[in-house]
Amino acid sequence: MRSGAQALLLLLWAIWGCALGSEKNVWSRFAHLPFPEDNLFLYGTFPPNFMWSVGTAAYQVEGGWQQNGKAASIWDTFCHESGLVDATGDVATDSYNNPYRDTEALEHLGVTHYRFSISWSRLFPNGTESGANQAGLSYYLKVILRLKELRIEPVVTLYHWDLPQRLQDMYGGWLNDYMVDIFRDYAEACFRLFGEEVKFWITIDNPYVVAWQGYSTGNVPPGIKGGKLQGYKAGHNIIKAHAAAWHLYNEKFRPQQGGQISIALASHWINPVNMTSHDIGECQKSLDFALGWFAKPIFIDGDYPQTMKNNLSSLLPEFSDQEKKFNNGTADFFALSFGPNLSFQMLDPDMKFRQVESTSLRRILYWINMQYNKPRIFIVENSWFLSGNTKREDAKYMYYLKKFLMETLKAIKHDDVNVIGYTAWSLMDGFEWLREYTIRRGLFYVDFTSHNKKLMPKSSALFYQQLIKLNGFPPLPENQPVQGTFPCDFAWGTSAYKIHVDTTPSQFNDPNVYVWDMNKTKGLTKVEGITVPRRKTQCVDFASIRQQISMLREIHITHFYFSLKWAAILPLGNLTLINHKVLHYYQCFVSELVRVNITPVVALWQPLAENQGLPNDLAKNGGWVNYLTVTAFVEYARLCFRELGNYVGMWITMNEPSMRNLTYAAGHNLLKAHALAWRLYDRDFRKTQKGQISIAVQADWVEPASPFSNNDKETSRRILEFEIGRLADPIFLSGDYPKVMRNWLAPRNNLDVFEFYLPSFTEEDKNLIQGTFDFFALSHYTTELVQWEKEDVSKYDHKLEVQFISDITWVHSPNKHAIVPWGLRKVLNWVKSKYGDVPVYILVNGIDDAHSPMQDKLRVYYLQNYINEALKAILLDGVNLRGYFAYSFNDRMDPRYGLYAYAANRFAPKPSMKHYQEIIDNNGFPNPELPIITCPVELVPCSDCHFFQTRKYLLAFIAFIFIVLIVSVFMITYYSRKGKRRYK
């Protein structure tokens, strides 16, 4: 089943590729890929012999800036003299003095390749004139030979931004044409010294930053503010220098050494503000100005992009025909650098052309593939960054790495891009250029204040190590869908936080008398001053009930869950004023549900934005903090049980109180109110009404952000106790709060910080609360990741000292809710492991759609996979799951969550409703190769709600009309015959 679905998806991608890819309109192509299938995480492995690499740059990690004859580079001078930075790379990670420490870390990762750069001023302090510095030569040979012993291929960058200061002083750096020959000589020396062992060469890293930021804006060394003219001149010389080095290697060294050589080109990705030809053209121009500046001369025709020529005119140098021919084809593979050094940091804002920058690695890979004749692409730098305060548990970085790798895999599998290798950046924390030590990008943590600069693996290092070992993301057995059906008595439902209450009768309720005016109006005319007694409103009078019941029946559900509105029934919060109209409406609604064999599941209280869902007087007097609300709730519950209980099969006292917004004092009283209401029902109503009653808790799953972090695991366990166990433990276990809560809050509690005070239950309270359940009801929407280290203040819970983050590879709804089906199965297993074999009902489970037909496809996916995880919990884990309710019924009452759309006072079923209906009709996901199991249909008996009972007033009226009709016929016949006899 899964392989067939994958084949279909591949066919869809192929169709779109043919339709749009031929036009090289990457933006249109990606705007029309299958949704949500294309957005889902791709499980799969990379091609055989895929190159797994990690990288560093000399100035960022080597240190030893004056050791053993090393001369100053432009970065040494810039950091010491410019005043624009506060730190230097003088020591950095001290790799120069710890070569075997670094190679040990590489061995730990299991990489096949290691990209590093040669410090030009360490190997040749005076350029190339005085020969190699023996200490520098010894260091690089030591690294390379150790790599070969470990079977790790070195990928050597000749120039990673650190030009010897002497060359800058003597020649003006890359502004001088002489640099072409100087760089060629330097490259030749390196090829001769290391070429027997090095099979991958990078001439220059990120020439955009070198030329534009170094010689145009002056933001980086050598800090020359030469404007556009100087920036493009520097870039012109860099292209020629690279071409000279490539031709040298190709002609003189390749035959014996057999290596490959390229240039590392950095790029961003950019999306159009609007999908118009103009904005798409501006995006193309943006990529031309950053990446195409160097890529087109090297990979296409030796010359600059036409967009640059059109916009820059005389500012852009010209290549002669001979130079164009010399430039063209001077790369054995496309070496791509994609990360924060250009994206969102060093890209000139003017080069975005008012479009929107993005971090989509997959799209730039596809663009390169289509723009530059499908080259082999080696990603030689990629990652993101975290705060410099982050230590070893770098979950956010890890998820960026996961995202980029998944996009690379999609580019290979779905887009047919020939990616041959990937380089995570970087091996270790180091000096991050203009950001100094304020950010970290390493897989290994370095304490820069320590003497030995020990490398300690972060979570990201363990993740990358595991990924290399598996060669990607092989499909996991637990992620495979299961076939099978739910138990025959399984409760299939839908839910709504509230129903539409319209107490205006639609018929039989006008007390006026009318006569037919045959002379003037030719219609009915009201007779003034004459009325008839108004009869009592009947259930059949409510058109809104008929409409809602009809829609619910169309879904084929067996149960419907909704919440009463306490403030509408008891406006003053007590029995002194009862809104009998609203109460009667609810009574009609639930009786009609039962009549059509749908079991009502009714919540007494639902927290709402307005007054917390409480009557105004109760809310003004403290809400749940005031014990008067508890006693008021019990009286309200008694009224509802008495008036509605004959029709309600399942009661919920409180529907998903938000633990993050509920104070400990309020939660304390809420538990007492639940328990008192439960005891009331159990004592006075259960025997006659035969219903069940419990509380519904919100139970989103909380996953450790890093599976390698014990701190994150402990944090997730704590949050589950605070958010689920806080209500569940007193009811389902001990009558008291979880020990984890008390142990956490006790040392933080003092008289000055009341928010940490957790009230205590008396023994009487515990006995009252313990065991007040008939089933475990939960709401589940999504899964969150938690870590203990503080990263983003806006998503940090200071009270619980937890950082909430999200896996950016997850699909998210328009409201940013992550769609993580396996989270439902995990929370169901957590409930089972903690509270035993208690019957469980998922009363709320759904996702928003932003009123978009495309987003409803996401709901179809959501329902399919969350329900399948629920089935796994039953079949594979033995969870006593009794029912599933899709949220929500319709968009009118729960906007953007409905199975029915609502617009212009009309309802329309969404495709997701039809899909849910199909799942219900199949009772799950039956195996087509096995015989279908037919479940018997059982009608729920109700002595007070059979057809004649619910229609007694209507039937009486019909009977009256029928009797009148019979009498009238009799009288007419009688007098007609009597008249005939009289005239005879």
Side-chain angles (χ1 to χ4, degrees):
M1 183 173 71
R2 190 172 182 87
S3 60
Q6 287 178 332
L8 177 61
L9 287 178
L10 289 173
L11 177 61
L12 288 172
W13 276 300
I15 292 171
W16 283 115
C18 293
L20 297 171
S22 59
E23 300 174 8
K24 297 189 179 181
N25 190 338
V26 180
W27 295 273
S28 293
R29 177 185 189 272
F30 281 97
H32 294 89
L33 286 176
F35 179 86
E37 292 82 2
D38 188 67
N39 298 67
L40 302 177
F41 188 84
L42 176 62
Y43 287 95
T45 55
F46 287 83
N49 302 316
F50 191 77
M51 298 188 293
W52 293 106
S53 180
V54 69
T56 58
Y59 188 76
Q60 291 187 281
V61 300
E62 279 186 6
W65 79 290
Q66 288 183 318
Q67 276 186 254
N68 303 327
K70 178 188 175 296
S73 71
I74 55 175
W75 269 94
D76 289 316
T77 304
F78 185 82
C79 292
H80 282 271
E81 299 178 9
S82 71
L84 299 177
V85 291
D86 299 321
T88 71
D90 291 358
V91 179
T93 315
D94 202 23
S95 287
Y96 179 69
N97 294 302
N98 295 280
Y100 296 127
R101 175 206 65 181
D102 295 356
T103 55
E104 183 180 345
L106 293 166
E107 184 179 19
H108 177 82
L109 285 176
V111 293
T112 61
H113 292 69
Y114 174 46
R115 182 189 171 200
F116 65 96
S117 72
I118 292 173
S119 170
W120 191 342
S121 59
R122 186 182 302 282
L123 187 60
F124 296 104
N126 295 317
T128 59
E129 296 174 6
S130 302
N133 173 12
Q134 288 303 311
L137 176 60
S138 175
Y139 167 71
Y140 292 116
L141 284 173
K142 192 182 299 182
V143 171
I144 290 170
L145 293 175
R146 180 56 182 156
L147 291 174
K148 301 297 283 191
E149 289 175 5
L150 296 174
R151 297 185 179 179
I152 298 173
E153 287 295 330
V155 180
V156 177
T157 303
L158 295 174
Y159 179 71
H160 202 126
W161 306 6
D162 50 352
L163 188 71
Q165 184 63 44
R166 180 172 180 271
L167 296 180
Q168 182 64 40
D169 294 340
M170 289 182 65
Y171 302 103
W174 292 105
L175 293 177
N176 196 316
D177 294 348
Y178 283 126
M179 280 299 301
V180 175
D181 292 332
I182 292 171
F183 182 76
R184 180 186 182 281
D185 292 342
Y186 164 59
E188 181 174 11
C190 291
F191 297 154
R192 185 178 295 109
L193 291 170
F194 309 116
E196 290 299 323
E197 306 296 341
V198 176
K199 303 306 174 187
F200 291 91
W201 292 97
I202 302 293
T203 54
I204 298 164
D205 180 84
N206 202 337
Y208 173 90
V209 170
V210 175
W212 190 258
Q213 300 293 358
Y215 293 89
S216 177
T217 68
N219 290 333
V220 303
I224 295 174
K225 301 182 185 296
K228 294 181 179 180
L229 186 65
Q230 301 287 50
Y232 290 119
K233 184 177 182 181
H236 200 70
N237 288 330
I238 288 172
I239 293 171
K240 292 195 291 184
H242 157 77
W246 186 90
H247 282 287
L248 169 70
Y249 187 83
N250 189 56
E251 296 163 7
K252 192 171 182 179
F253 294 95
R254 192 193 303 273
Q256 293 78 32
Q257 297 177 357
Q260 301 178 58
I261 184 169
S262 189
I263 182 172
L265 301 181
S267 187
H268 59 305
W269 179 250
I270 196 151
N271 287 320
V273 173
N274 299 298
M275 287 297 292
T276 62
S277 297
H278 173 269
D279 284 4
I280 290 174
E282 295 297 279
C283 289
Q284 177 76 27
K285 189 192 302 181
S286 176
L287 294 174
D288 282 344
F289 269 67
L291 178 58
W293 179 6
F294 301 95
K296 186 171 177 289
I298 293 169
F299 287 91
I300 299 298
D301 59 7
D303 201 5
Y304 296 116
Q306 193 61 45
T307 53
M308 294 183 72
K309 291 182 175 183
N310 294 342
N311 282 266
L312 297 172
S313 186
S314 61
L315 291 173
L316 193 65
E318 293 185 2
F319 290 115
S320 66
D321 290 343
Q322 185 177 357
E323 287 173 332
K324 291 176 187 177
K325 185 177 180 180
F326 192 74
N327 295 336
N328 187 23
T330 55
D332 300 324
F333 53 90
F334 198 111
L336 174 65
S337 171
F338 186 83
N341 276 344
L342 185 58
S343 296
F344 299 96
Q345 187 172 339
M346 292 191 182
L347 178 65
D348 192 307
D350 290 341
M351 293 187 182
K352 298 178 188 178
F353 296 99
R354 297 186 179 89
Q355 304 308 305
V356 184
E357 204 170 354
S358 166
T359 58
S360 178
L361 174 58
R362 178 185 175 187
R363 298 188 185 193
I364 188 61
L365 287 170
Y366 186 77
W367 187 85
I368 290 168
N369 184 64
M370 301 306 296
Q371 195 80 9
Y372 300 114
N373 299 323
K374 301 185 177 182
R376 294 184 308 139
I377 302 174
F378 186 2
I379 300 170
V380 293
E381 177 183 350
N382 178 239
S383 76
W384 210 242
F385 61 88
L386 291 181
S387 164
N389 297 323
T390 306
K391 293 182 171 56
R392 296 182 62 182
E393 296 180 2
D394 60 339
K396 192 173 181 180
Y397 177 99
M398 180 178 71
Y399 287 112
Y400 267 109
L401 199 62
K402 180 182 177 184
K403 169 187 182 288
F404 290 133
L405 283 159
M406 180 199 67
E407 290 191 354
T408 302
L409 186 61
K410 284 185 176 181
I412 295 170
K413 299 284 188 181
H414 292 167
D415 307 330
D416 199 27
V417 179
N418 188 10
V419 184
I420 61 173
Y422 178 90
T423 304
W425 199 272
S426 67
L427 173 62
M428 66 197 87
D429 294 331
F431 177 79
E432 289 299 333
W433 310 113
L434 296 180
R435 303 290 289 274
E436 304 166 27
Y437 299 102
T438 62
I439 64 171
R440 292 177 182 269
R441 295 184 67 194
L443 297 174
F444 284 79
Y445 172 76
V446 177
D447 181 355
F448 295 110
T449 64
S450 66
H451 175 70
N452 62 1
K453 304 293 189 295
K454 182 180 179 181
L455 301 187
M456 292 173 278
K458 302 180 187 178
S459 296
S460 55
L462 300 176
F463 167 79
Y464 196 48
Q465 176 194 57
Q466 185 180 68
L467 186 134
I468 293 170
K469 186 177 181 180
L470 298 173
N471 197 37
F473 309 100
L476 302 174
E478 58 265 32
N479 290 334
Q480 305 304 308
V482 69
Q483 291 182 327
T485 55
F486 289 85
C488 280
D489 60 349
F490 194 74
W492 289 105
T494 187
S495 52
Y497 282 148
K498 54 187 177 181
I499 59 171
H500 176 52
V501 176
D502 182 359
T503 59
T504 305
S506 60
Q507 56 185 343
F508 306 132
N509 202 49
D510 189 348
N512 296 296
V513 175
Y514 299 85
V515 296
W516 193 270
D517 186 351
M518 298 296 294
N519 298 318
K520 294 181 179 179
T521 64
K522 307 294 184 181
L524 290 174
T525 302
K526 186 170 69 173
V527 179
E528 299 295 338
I530 302 178
T531 60
V532 296
R534 186 192 298 266
R535 71 169 179 82
K536 184 179 178 181
T537 302
Q538 308 303 321
C539 293
V540 293
D541 296 341
F542 298 120
S544 61
I545 290 181
R546 294 200 304 272
Q547 183 182 41
Q548 292 178 85
I549 297 294
S550 174
M551 291 160 58
L552 288 169
R553 293 186 70 186
E554 189 179 5
I555 309 174
H556 299 175
I557 55 173
T558 61
H559 292 63
F560 178 56
Y561 176 45
F562 68 97
S563 298
L564 303 175
K565 192 171 182 180
W566 184 356
I569 296 173
L570 300 178
L572 300 180
N574 56 51
L575 300 182
T576 59
L577 178 61
I578 301 174
N579 190 330
H580 289 285
K581 281 188 176 181
V582 171
L583 191 59
H584 178 59
Y585 185 94
Y586 281 130
Q587 188 179 61
C588 288
F589 191 88
V590 294
S591 67
E592 287 296 294
L593 284 174
V594 174
R595 186 183 67 82
V596 297
N597 209 35
I598 297 176
T599 301
V601 183
V602 179
L604 294 170
W605 175 70
Q606 163 72 43
L608 301 171
E610 183 182 0
N611 295 328
Q612 309 169 46
L614 300 172
N616 186 52
D617 288 353
L618 294 176
K620 286 195 301 184
N621 288 305
W624 288 109
V625 176
N626 190 332
Y627 194 79
L628 290 175
T629 302
V630 175
T631 57
F633 178 78
V634 175
E635 289 306 308
Y636 161 62
R638 182 188 298 276
L639 174 67
C640 294
F641 296 154
R642 185 176 67 241
E643 298 296 328
L644 307 177
N646 286 331
Y647 311 104
V648 176
M650 298 170 68
W651 287 100
I652 297 296
T653 54
M654 322 285 183
N655 182 47
E656 56 178 74
S658 174
M659 294 297 96
R660 296 182 191 178
N661 299 321
L662 196 70
T663 66
Y664 294 126
H668 203 68
N669 282 338
L670 189 144
L671 278 165
K672 292 180 182 179
H674 156 77
L676 289 168
W678 191 94
R679 299 288 179 191
L680 169 68
Y681 186 84
D682 190 57
R683 181 182 66 247
D684 297 347
F685 297 95
R686 186 191 299 274
K687 187 175 181 180
T688 56
Q689 296 178 357
K690 297 179 173 54
Q692 294 182 303
I693 183 169
S694 196
I695 190 171
V697 299
Q698 183 167 340
D700 287 338
W701 181 245
V702 180
E703 183 78 1
S706 171
F708 312 105
S709 167
N710 290 327
N711 288 323
D712 286 358
K713 291 176 183 177
E714 189 277 328
T715 300
S716 69
R717 287 192 291 266
R718 183 173 75 249
I719 300 306
L720 287 169
E721 295 292 356
F722 270 81
E723 299 204 338
I724 304 177
R726 177 179 166 188
L727 289 181
D729 273 32
I731 295 170
F732 292 87
L733 289 181
S734 63
D736 200 2
Y737 297 113
K739 290 182 180 179
V740 169
M741 285 186 67
R742 292 208 178 276
N743 293 340
W744 175 263
L745 294 171
R748 293 164 175 79
N749 178 34
N750 59 66
L751 296 178
D752 298 326
V753 188
F754 186 73
E755 65 177 340
F756 290 111
Y757 172 68
L758 184 64
S760 296
F761 290 116
T762 65
E763 289 303 315
E764 184 180 358
D765 292 334
K766 293 178 183 178
N767 291 331
L768 170 72
I769 296 169
Q770 186 180 19
T772 54
F773 69 91
D774 295 323
F775 51 89
F776 195 109
L778 62 88
S779 301
H780 179 89
Y781 302 93
T782 187
T783 291
E784 292 181 292
L785 297 173
V786 293
Q787 66 180 35
W788 73 284
E789 281 201 287
K790 187 175 180 180
E791 175 71 29
D792 180 358
V793 176
S794 66
K795 296 182 179 180
Y796 186 77
D797 188 320
H798 294 271
K799 185 164 63 176
L800 295 179
E801 299 177 16
V802 58
Q803 178 74 63
F804 291 95
I805 67 171
S806 182
D807 183 341
I808 54 178
T809 66
W810 290 343
V811 178
H812 288 75
S813 74
N815 280 350
K816 308 300 181 186
H817 294 304
I819 298 174
V820 191
W822 52 258
L824 175 60
R825 182 181 175 191
K826 285 201 171 189
V827 81
L828 290 172
N829 275 278
W830 185 86
V831 169
K832 178 190 175 186
S833 66
K834 188 157 199 243
Y835 303 112
D837 192 34
V838 59
V840 180
Y841 288 85
I842 303 166
L843 292 185
V844 176
N845 182 236
I847 200 71
D848 57 289
D849 63 9
H851 301 301
S852 164
M854 178 175 287
Q855 292 295 339
D856 189 62
K857 294 180 181 179
L858 191 61
R859 182 179 291 106
V860 171
Y861 170 82
Y862 184 99
L863 291 171
Q864 175 80 12
N865 288 275
Y866 273 80
I867 295 173
N868 197 266
E869 291 296 321
L871 183 60
K872 289 179 188 178
I874 295 174
L875 299 180
L876 305 180
D877 309 326
V879 175
N880 188 10
L881 181 62
R882 299 290 185 87
Y884 173 90
F885 293 62
Y887 176 74
S888 73
F889 174 26
N890 66 72
D891 281 346
R892 180 174 187 174
M893 307 313 294
D894 299 293
R896 300 188 296 180
Y897 281 85
L899 296 173
Y900 284 87
Y902 179 76
N905 206 32
R906 296 176 66 88
F907 291 94
K910 300 179 184 178
S912 55
M913 189 283 279
K914 297 294 186 182
H915 187 72
Y916 185 44
Q917 180 192 76
E918 182 181 348
I919 293 174
I920 294 173
D921 291 345
N922 290 325
N923 200 31
F925 311 94
N927 189 331
E929 298 178 0
L930 296 178
I932 298 175
I933 300 175
T934 303
C935 292
V937 178
E938 296 183 9
L939 300 179
V940 180
C942 176
S943 59
D944 292 336
C945 50
H946 53 73
F947 179 83
F948 296 104
Q949 177 68 20
T950 58
R951 296 292 189 274
K952 60 184 180 181
Y953 295 108
L954 177 62
L955 291 172
F957 177 73
I958 293 173
F960 172 75
I961 295 297
F962 182 73
I963 292 170
V964 169
L965 178 64
I966 295 297
V967 170
S968 299
V969 170
F970 174 78
M971 295 297 291
I972 291 169
T973 304
Y974 173 77
Y975 283 105
S976 175
R977 290 177 178 175
K978 186 176 181 181
K980 288 180 180 179
R981 286 196 300 269
R982 180 181 303 169
Y983 288 105
K984 279 183 177 180

